[in-house]
């Protein structure tokens, strides 16, 4: 075993996993690799490094990691040793055999003796999960981390992911199941939307004997492919038969097995439908505003014991990363039009920086329709006490002359001149 | 009534959990047991119940597992799978358990029971009888996980 120099202060319980504990692997005697969150909501990845049989305790590393590192680790793109090197410091946690904590200390990577370090190939072992039909969407970053989010942001995500899930499940219609999607009421103070997929047999005599478990496994892998793997695929992967990748073929094979269970043949049309379904699902994830209450979204499966098993992490880079993979997004031509002359826009500002003049607003363009746009005000060095701040402070609509910019017919941006 | 001539009082089974149902005496099969050294010790065959000195909260499956010694059955069908599982874990914790020992038991070791898990379908448990000792174990081979 090795000793470490004791440090003065560790933030109370920052190292301790108190919720969302998920064991990726146990060897039957001890948990080898697990994760969870501390009382501050930070994610911790934990790995055993030694069983001190002489002194009757186990030594673990507890590492505070961010969502991106975690996703890369469980998808075997980032090794444990790399995480330790990148993060530079982590906790040594000694646990008695009864699970009680014996000792904790913060150490740097250099203080961890080489023989105890994970090896270069310390990638997450392949672990088996039993997915459920329950998925959750969590808003992360910005004010959502402070347990605040604008109702419109939450509603938008709710709608888009409802449509995403519905579109991805179209293939189930072939197998005699009646599908419905429920949303569970979010827990107060959290921004986790829980979606529950319900499958009921259509009638008394089910023709196709496809176990729900098999469907569920496929759905889970499909979401992982769409949300996590597709961004790293080659362009045109879904556009032409020649471009189909090994990872897509793995999904395809799984669907073929489902067809086999149903004693149906899987043909070219079914494959096209799978690709179309992926395209249609992703179309629903366009235009999510990552500049508001959150800057990324976690999509996870909820295990039978309530832990979140991450499947995908989305941010503003997601759609650009899949754009060239999908025919539906490529076929859109982005036509940009700008107003020739200033016109009156009715706006209600909800975010505004008085120093830069940049912000966000709702623009009213029909009797009862509001849309989000970015606004840019020019001409001054300070924009305090203007119509824009009044609109934001009072929640009122103001009418101001501006030059609008539309992309493919949708108003995206308005520029205003406000001389001194 | 079981016909084995062994007692299991030290395991202090909870009465409502029938941990020994389907458990058998098996002196023919070979099993893998991971340890930190290639020199088998008494401490390599302590259950979590013995090490912690107390029971665990939860269902019967958990309580029974708490009293068992984790093994993986090793035969022509399973050996590559079993080695692969522990070989994959090894890089995470190279100083944790570095050896997989292939062993078999005498008829006085206790009872073994298949207890497959989601990540190891070859998982078995040994329930040591009250008179268990290392003498009831035959060490067939010790494999270093660093070398496979």
């Amino acid at each position: 075993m090795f000793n470490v120099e004791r440090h003065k202060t560790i933030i109370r319980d920052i190292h301790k996993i108190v919720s969302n504990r998920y064991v990726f692997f146990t060897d039957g005697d001890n948990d080898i690799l697990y994760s969870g969150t501390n009382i501050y909501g930070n994610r911790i990845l934990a790995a055993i490094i030694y069983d001190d049989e002489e002194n009757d305790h186990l030594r673990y590393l507890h590492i505070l990691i961010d969502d991106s590192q975690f996703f890369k680790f469980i998808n075997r793109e980032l090794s444990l040793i790399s995480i330790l090197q990148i993060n530079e410091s982590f906790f040594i946690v000694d646990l008695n055999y009864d699970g009680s904590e014996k000792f904790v200390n913060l150490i740097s990577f250099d203080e961890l003796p080489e023989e105890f370090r994970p090896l270069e190939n310390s990638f997450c072992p392949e672990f088996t999960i039993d997915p459920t039909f329950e998925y959750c969407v969590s808003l992360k970053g910005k004010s959502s981390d402070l347990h605040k989010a604008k109702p419109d942001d939450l509603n938008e995500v709710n709608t888009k992911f409802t449509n995403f899930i519905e579109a991805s499940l179209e293939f189930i219609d072939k197998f005699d199941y009646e599908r419905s999607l429920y949303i569970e009421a979010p827990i107060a103070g959290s921004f986790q939307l829980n979606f529950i997929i319900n499958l009921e047999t259509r009638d008394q005599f089910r023709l196709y004997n496809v176990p729900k478990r098999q469907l569920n496994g496929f759905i889970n892998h499909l979401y992982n492919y769409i949300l996590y793997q597709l961004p790293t695929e080659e362009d045109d992967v879904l556009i032409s038969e020649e471009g189909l990748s090994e990872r897509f073929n793995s999904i395809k094979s799984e669907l073929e097995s489902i067809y086999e269970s149903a004693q149906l043949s899987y043909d070219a049309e079914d494959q096209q439908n799978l690709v179309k379904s992926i395209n249609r699902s992703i179309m629903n994830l366009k235009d999510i505003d990552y500049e508001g209450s959150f800057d990324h979204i976690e999509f996870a499966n909820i295990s039978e014991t309530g832990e979140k098993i991450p499947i995908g992490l989305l941010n503003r880079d997601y759609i650009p990363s899949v754009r060239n993979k999908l025919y539906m997004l490529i076929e859109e031509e982005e036509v940009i039009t700008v107003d020739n002359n200033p016109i009156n826009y009715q706006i209600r500002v909800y975010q505004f920086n008085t120093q830069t003049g940049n912000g966000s607003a709702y623009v009213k363009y029909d009797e009862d329709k509001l849309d989000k746009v970015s606004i840019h005000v020019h001409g001054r060095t300070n924009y305090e006490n203007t119509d824009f701040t009044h609109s934001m402070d009072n929640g009122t609509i103001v009418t101001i002359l501006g030059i609008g910019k539309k992309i493919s017919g949708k108003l995206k941006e308005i520029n205003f001149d406000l001389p001194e | 009534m079981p016909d084995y001539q062994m007692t299991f009082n030290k395991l202090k089974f909870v009465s409502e959990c029938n941990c020994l149902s389907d458990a058998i005496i098996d002196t023919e099969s070979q099993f893998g047991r991971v340890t930190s050294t290639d020199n088998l010790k008494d401490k390599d065959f302590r259950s979590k119940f013995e090490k912690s000195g107390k029971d665990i909260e939860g269902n019967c499956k958990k309580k029974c597992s708490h009293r068992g010694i984790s093994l993986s059955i090793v035969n022509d069908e399973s050996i590559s799978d079993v080695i692969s599982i522990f070989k994959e874990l090894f890089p995470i914790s190279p100083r944790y358990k570095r050896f997989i020992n292939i062993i078999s038991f005498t008829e006085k070791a206790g009872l073994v029971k298949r207890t497959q898990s989601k990540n190891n379908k070859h998982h078995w448990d040994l329930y040591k009888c009250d008179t268990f000792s290392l003498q009831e174990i035959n060490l067939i081979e010790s494999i270093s996980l660093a070398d496979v």
Side-chain angles (χ1 to χ4, degrees):
Chain A
M1 185 57 102
F2 60 93
N3 295 319
V4 288
E5 192 182 323
R6 209 167 175 99
H7 289 256
K8 280 189 182 173
T9 309
I10 295 175
I11 299 170
R12 182 181 67 86
D13 291 345
I14 194 171
H15 65 286
K16 201 174 277 192
I17 289 175
V18 298
S19 60
N20 297 311
R21 191 173 196 274
Y22 186 79
V23 178
F24 293 102
F25 223 101
T26 173
D27 65 356
D29 285 345
N30 300 303
D31 294 337
I32 305 296
L33 195 64
Y34 56 95
S35 74
T37 47
N38 63 14
I39 57 171
Y40 306 100
N42 308 120
R43 200 192 296 275
I44 293 173
L45 178 64
I48 199 166
I49 57 169
Y50 193 67
D51 181 352
D52 189 344
E53 291 167 331
E54 297 308 313
N55 296 300
D56 285 354
H57 69 260
L58 303 167
R59 177 158 281 189
Y60 284 89
L61 300 179
H62 277 210
I63 313 142
L64 286 174
I65 61 170
D66 62 37
D67 289 340
S68 173
Q69 284 181 326
F70 183 66
F71 271 80
K72 285 182 179 172
F73 177 70
I74 62 172
N75 283 282
R76 298 164 66 86
E77 290 178 22
L78 192 62
S79 63
L80 184 61
I81 185 74
S82 296
I83 290 174
L84 295 179
Q85 288 166 326
I86 293 166
N87 292 12
E88 297 179 344
S89 62
F90 34 87
F91 297 95
I92 293 289
V93 180
D94 288 346
L95 299 179
N96 294 308
Y97 287 142
D98 65 1
S100 59
E101 190 176 288
K102 182 174 177 175
F103 174 80
V104 60
N105 206 351
L106 181 69
I107 69 166
S108 67
F109 181 78
D110 293 335
E111 288 177 283
L112 183 62
E114 195 168 338
E115 60 182 306
F116 289 92
R117 293 177 189 170
L119 303 180
E120 287 304 313
N121 59 338
S122 51
F123 292 97
C124 183
E126 298 272 4
F127 59 93
T128 305
I129 61 167
D130 288 324
T132 66
F133 281 106
E134 197 169 332
Y135 292 88
C136 70
V137 172
S138 306
L139 308 186
K140 298 222 166 173
K142 296 197 172 185
S143 61
S144 68
D145 283 349
L146 302 173
H147 305 292
K148 288 183 189 174
K150 293 184 188 298
D152 286 345
D153 290 346
L154 204 58
N155 291 339
E156 182 192 46
V157 170
N158 189 346
T159 302
K160 285 184 181 292
F161 273 90
T162 298
N163 294 338
F164 166 75
I165 293 173
E166 291 276 13
S168 68
L169 298 178
E170 286 169 357
F171 76 98
I172 288 180
D173 294 343
K174 202 155 184 152
F175 303 111
D176 248 3
Y177 281 108
E178 190 86 38
R179 58 182 168 91
S180 47
L181 185 64
Y182 293 94
I183 297 177
E184 211 168 54
I187 302 164
S190 83
F191 297 104
Q192 181 175 307
L193 301 166
N194 286 2
F195 295 88
I196 302 166
I197 300 168
N198 191 50
L199 299 183
E200 300 287 345
T201 48
R202 271 214 180 96
D203 52 47
Q204 194 178 359
F205 303 104
R206 208 173 74 197
L207 276 176
Y208 306 116
N209 192 25
V210 179
K212 282 187 192 177
R213 186 191 171 94
Q214 195 177 10
L215 288 172
N216 199 8
F218 171 74
I219 291 167
N220 206 55
H221 292 142
L222 180 65
Y223 288 150
N224 181 256
Y225 179 76
I226 291 173
L227 299 176
Y228 194 78
Q229 296 180 33
L230 187 59
T232 60
E233 294 271 58
E234 297 290 323
D235 286 353
D236 303 337
V237 63
L238 299 178
I239 294 173
S240 69
E241 185 72 32
E242 291 74 33
L244 293 178
S245 69
E246 194 180 312
R247 289 187 283 189
F248 177 82
N249 283 331
S250 170
I251 297 288
K252 188 189 88 166
S253 298
E254 209 172 332
L255 186 58
E256 280 176 325
S257 299
I258 290 175
Y259 273 67
E260 217 173 279
S261 298
Q263 295 182 314
L264 291 171
S265 60
Y266 180 88
D267 57 27
E269 188 185 340
D270 296 310
Q271 173 139 320
Q272 275 181 19
N273 288 338
L274 173 62
V275 171
K276 281 182 188 171
S277 175
I278 292 174
N279 274 265
R280 275 198 289 270
S281 310
I282 295 175
M283 287 294 284
N284 290 298
L285 300 181
K286 281 177 57 200
D287 301 326
I288 292 178
D289 182 6
Y290 291 99
E291 307 300 328
S293 311
F294 57 91
D295 59 24
H296 62 284
I297 295 171
E298 181 187 84
F299 187 83
N301 187 246
I302 299 182
S303 74
E304 283 186 1
T305 45
E307 294 92 13
K308 288 197 294 182
I309 322 282
I311 294 174
L313 196 65
L314 288 87
N315 58 25
R316 68 168 71 84
D317 297 328
Y318 175 72
I319 289 295
S321 70
V322 299
R323 180 177 300 279
N324 290 337
K325 281 108 180 168
L326 306 174
Y327 65 80
M328 280 187 177
L329 289 180
I330 286 184
E331 278 171 3
E332 275 184 4
E333 282 186 15
E334 291 195 340
V335 177
I336 300 174
T337 54
V338 178
D339 294 335
N340 291 325
N341 296 299
I343 62 175
N344 274 321
Y345 283 100
Q346 290 181 292
I347 60 169
R348 176 160 66 84
V349 179
Y350 65 86
Q351 211 175 47
F352 189 66
N353 186 317
T354 55
Q355 301 300 314
T356 64
N358 296 327
S360 304
Y362 294 106
V363 62
K364 189 175 175 186
Y365 62 92
D366 267 345
E367 275 308 307
D368 56 352
K369 284 187 183 164
L370 290 174
D371 221 347
K372 286 185 185 176
V373 292
S374 61
I375 58 173
H376 306 279
V377 189
H378 311 277
R380 294 188 187 180
T381 53
N382 186 290
Y383 299 95
E384 285 175 9
N385 205 28
T386 60
D387 285 341
F388 303 96
T389 56
H390 295 155
S391 171
M392 183 173 69
D393 294 341
N394 302 322
T396 50
I397 293 177
V398 293
T399 302
I400 313 181
L401 277 171
I403 305 256
K405 179 176 166 184
K406 292 179 183 173
I407 298 178
S408 298
K410 193 171 162 64
L411 186 65
K412 289 289 192 181
E413 183 181 308
I414 309 175
N415 284 275
F416 302 94
D417 268 327
L418 205 65
E420 297 281 357
Chain B
M1 282 289 285
D3 58 1
Y4 48 80
Q5 300 298 315
M6 292 179 279
T7 58
F8 297 86
N9 299 318
K10 287 182 182 176
L11 291 178
K12 296 182 183 172
F13 286 119
V14 179
S15 57
E16 64 265 24
C17 295
N18 198 0
C19 299
L20 295 183
S21 74
D22 299 327
I24 56 173
I25 296 174
D26 187 342
T27 59
E28 299 297 319
S29 298
Q30 295 181 0
F31 297 92
R33 172 79 179 148
V34 283
T35 59
S36 52
T37 70
D38 55 358
N39 198 13
L40 292 183
K41 317 178 288 295
D42 285 325
K43 285 191 175 184
D44 292 325
F45 291 88
R46 285 189 299 169
S47 67
K48 285 176 282 193
F49 181 62
E50 287 174 274
K51 288 197 276 192
S52 66
K54 59 186 190 185
D55 209 342
I56 190 173
E57 294 292 323
N59 57 25
C60 283
K61 189 176 172 186
K62 283 188 175 178
K63 288 186 186 294
C64 293
S65 170
H66 197 57
R67 289 159 168 80
I69 309 293
S70 273
L71 306 165
S72 299
I73 195 161
V74 170
N75 49 44
D76 289 341
E77 195 186 293
S78 72
I79 185 157
S80 61
D81 226 9
V82 170
I83 300 284
S84 176
I85 288 169
F86 292 103
K87 185 181 163 186
E88 209 176 15
L89 289 175
F90 177 74
I92 299 284
S93 326
R95 276 300 307 275
Y96 172 55
K97 289 186 181 173
R98 299 175 288 168
F99 296 88
I100 181 163
N101 301 281
I102 311 299
I103 59 178
S104 65
F105 300 111
T106 71
E107 71 277 7
K108 294 179 187 171
L111 300 176
V112 290
K113 180 176 175 177
R114 188 178 182 199
T115 48
Q116 69 176 36
S117 66
K118 64 177 185 180
N119 283 319
N120 185 358
K121 59 183 182 183
H122 311 292
H123 190 269
W124 283 59
D125 274 317
L126 164 71
Y127 295 104
K128 298 186 307 186
C129 69
D130 291 335
T131 56
F132 174 87
S133 73
L134 279 183
Q135 288 178 331
E136 312 308 333
I137 294 177
N138 304 312
L139 176 63
I140 297 158
E141 188 185 357
S142 194
I143 302 170
S144 166
L145 291 170
D147 298 334
V148 291

